[in-house]
Amino acid sequence: MFTGLIEEIGEIVAVTPVGDSLRLTVKGPKVTEDAGHGDSIQVSGVCLTVIEQGTAADGSGTFTADVMAQSIHMSTLGALQPGDQVNLERAARVDSRLGGHIVQGHVDGTAELLSATPGDAWRVLRFALPRELAPLLVDKGSVTLSGVSLTISHISDEAAAEPWFEVSLIPETLAATTLGLLEPGDRVNLETDILARHVARMLRFGTAGAADQTND
């Protein structure tokens, strides 16, 4: 479990194909300070398990993790190359403050940046939203983009032919995460709020149950 508050921007050191999966080695001095074998670290929103630890050429700590085929299919991790930057966060401690929202590191899909509009002290990012995920996002609700906990500032209405949503980023978020590097056309990992997913699931079961009763 994570909070969506990024601890540092890490760097991909190596990408090694292993069958239909990948093995990533990531440099992250802060997140490796107390990391151990089997610990969870989210990499741009995807929860990965530490299988090895090491040291980069500059003396910074590194960790290696496997990325399964499902994660490659659902996220942007399959496109990573050495030198790419990623958002990093260690799993939340039980006694830590929940400054963001509950983030699982289980990505629902990706979203494409449509536009970036600068403001006086912020930047508004508009993303195209996969239609199947549109019911799970709500104005002023929480969303996780590449591991960053954010509040939706605006969203398209239900009748929109091509759903979209916006987030407004303060300078700190732009500087402390990879979101400040995004250009239109770039894709980010998207995780919807766990509560919305549970409610949607229950509603589907409720609809199916009502249909079964009607057919009896």
Side-chain angles (χ1 to χ4, degrees), residues 42-46 76-77 85-88 107 145-147 178 189:
Q42 66 107 325
V43 177
S44 287
V46 182
T76 62
L77 295 194
Q85 293 184 313
V86 289
N87 296 321
L88 300 177
V107 173
L145 299 180
S146 289
T178 61
N189 296 322

Side-chain angles (χ1 to χ4, degrees), residues 1 101-108 133 135-137 144 190-204:
M1 199 70 69
H101 73 285
I102 295 175
V103 176
Q104 292 184 295
H106 301 163
V107 173
D108 294 299
L133 298 181
L136 303 180
L137 270 64
T144 308
L190 185 153
E191 179 184 333
T192 59
D193 185 49
I194 184 174
L195 178 59
R197 297 202 300 270
H198 277 300
V199 171
R201 176 77 169 169
M202 288 188 290
L203 288 174
R204 287 197 296 271

Side-chain angles (χ1 to χ4, degrees), residues 47-67:
C47 177
L48 299 180
T49 301
V50 175
I51 60 171
E52 292 179 5
Q53 296 166 265
T55 305
D58 63 359
S60 300
T62 67
F63 69 93
T64 298
D66 288 326
V67 184

